[in-house]
Amino acid sequence: MQKNEIVLKASYGKMSGIHWINNSSHQGLPILALHGWLDNANSFVPIAYNLIHAASEMVAVDLAGHGRSEHRPPGSHYHFVDYVFDVLECVAQLGWKRFVLVGHSMGAGIASLIAAVAPKLISQLILMDGIGPISSHSDVVTDQLAKSIRLHQRIGQQVKLKSYPDWDSLIERRVSVGNISRNAAELLVKRNAKQGDEEIIWLADRRLNLPSPIYMAEQQVLSFLLSIEAATLLIKAKQGLLNQHSTSAQRIAAINHLNLVELAGGHHLHMENPGLVSARIISFLQSAS
């Protein structure tokens, strides 16, 4: 197995990631992995060493504004649907005609839309503690946009990045806000930050913390989910986020050919119990091929 950095070109700028290559004779379709909000490609390092044995190659990207990928230009916003364009541009550069799509949390929401609009590309879809994007009710869209405008105006085009006195401070901060183990937090922050002259610089775009100007209506989300054709595996964490959402049951029912597995663990169960998660994924890929 080879592991390399990869840089792809999206319309907004450079999109970085990690590329694993299977050099053995036992190879399956390539795998593309999409991480969650404020995570990065390192999210998939713990399971990649198992999954690569079931694939010809695997790429985990840093989504726009995350990890080592470039930020969106000044004046731009992080509209959820734009990630779909970014990812499909990268797939075109990779030259993949058909592949397995894996997404965690926000990445699972992006993967859900990609599987719906580009069904010929997706062989199997694997969602981890996420299904579809965030939605909102029609009676709150005006307030949502107004709030987003106010906060965007407040932050303006400030370019100064957050900093921390040392790596331990940043890792502990990530643990405290994410209900995540220290080992997993350290793996994530090592790709989302860099050593400065005297401090640790947090690289993620500050605008990622601002609320979206607008969210889809739930019926729109369900329309996308109903359009998914690929065999789908949803791995739900017992102590994760999906069990906290009232929309989860209806969304799960909307996807045809969906296999649901619930495993003990929190939202980042693929990082904290990688052996069990990757075993379930490999079993699904073998049964669906």
Side-chain angles (χ1 to χ4, degrees):
M1 180 189 72
Q2 292 177 260
K3 177 188 173 188
N4 305 295
E5 285 290 314
I6 189 171
V7 178
L8 300 164
K9 180 68 175 172
S11 57
Y12 75 88
K14 293 179 181 178
M15 200 165 180
S16 298
I18 306 172
H19 187 197
W20 294 269
I21 301 173
N22 182 353
N23 294 318
S24 75
S25 58
H26 302 287
Q27 299 182 349
L29 290 172
I31 296 175
L32 179 66
L34 310 177
H35 63 77
W37 177 63
L38 291 183
D39 290 348
N40 53 67
N42 272 2
S43 172
F44 296 99
V45 167
I47 63 173
Y49 294 102
N50 290 324
L51 294 188
I52 192 60
H53 295 296
S56 57
E57 56 185 320
M58 177 173 171
V59 171
V61 296
D62 294 328
L63 295 166
H66 296 77
R68 298 176 185 173
S69 286
E70 290 187 339
H71 298 180
R72 295 205 187 280
S76 299
H77 300 283
Y78 284 85
H79 295 293
F80 189 89
V81 72
D82 289 339
Y83 289 117
V84 176
F85 287 87
D86 298 340
V87 172
L88 289 176
E89 287 172 347
C90 291
V91 170
Q93 288 176 63
L94 290 167
W96 294 355
K97 302 303 181 184
R98 196 160 173 80
F99 60 94
V100 176
L101 183 57
V102 179
H104 169 246
S105 192
M106 182 183 78
I110 299 166
S112 300
L113 298 191
I114 293 172
V117 301
K120 292 183 179 179
L121 288 175
I122 311 305
S123 172
Q124 288 97 25
L125 175 66
I126 294 129
L127 308 174
M128 296 187 292
D129 214 43
I131 180 170
I134 295 173
S135 66
S136 66
H137 296 289
S138 58
D139 57 353
V140 301
V141 293
T142 301
D143 290 341
Q144 175 69 28
L145 179 56
K147 177 182 178 182
S148 181
I149 290 171
R150 287 196 304 271
L151 292 176
H152 276 83
Q153 289 173 335
R154 185 179 302 170
I155 195 172
Q157 298 303 329
Q158 299 177 41
V159 296
K160 185 177 180 180
L161 299 172
K162 291 183 67 175
S163 62
Y164 294 81
D166 50 54
W167 283 106
D168 282 342
S169 299
L170 177 52
I171 293 167
E172 290 303 323
R173 172 63 176 167
R174 185 67 180 86
V175 170
S176 67
V177 301
N179 188 25
I180 187 173
S181 71
R182 196 181 193 286
N183 286 341
E186 182 174 4
L187 187 58
L188 291 173
V189 303
K190 288 294 185 179
R191 194 173 176 89
N192 253 357
K194 68 176 182 179
Q195 179 70 54
D197 292 337
E198 298 180 353
E199 317 176 280
I200 307 302
I201 309 300
W202 183 246
L203 298 176
D205 195 330
R206 295 180 63 191
R207 292 173 293 173
L208 292 170
N209 292 286
L210 299 177
S212 174
I214 193 166
Y215 294 110
M216 291 184 186
E218 183 62 19
Q219 194 56 48
Q220 291 176 307
V221 174
L222 291 174
S223 179
F224 280 108
L225 299 180
L226 286 165
S227 299
I228 294 174
E229 298 177 6
T232 302
L233 172 65
L234 172 60
I235 300 176
K236 184 166 65 167
K238 286 186 178 180
Q239 291 77 42
L241 297 183
L242 277 187
N243 282 333
Q244 302 175 23
H245 295 162
S246 60
T247 58
S248 294
Q250 190 175 15
R251 292 186 178 197
I252 290 169
I255 298 183
N256 293 315
H257 315 298
L258 182 139
N259 295 270
L260 174 63
V261 173
E262 187 172 54
L263 301 177
H267 187 53
H268 287 82
L269 78 169
H270 63 304
M271 300 187 73
E272 297 176 337
N273 197 348
L276 181 58
V277 170
S278 56
R280 292 300 183 112
I281 293 174
I282 291 171
S283 176
F284 169 73
L285 294 178
Q286 291 173 343
S287 65
S289 61

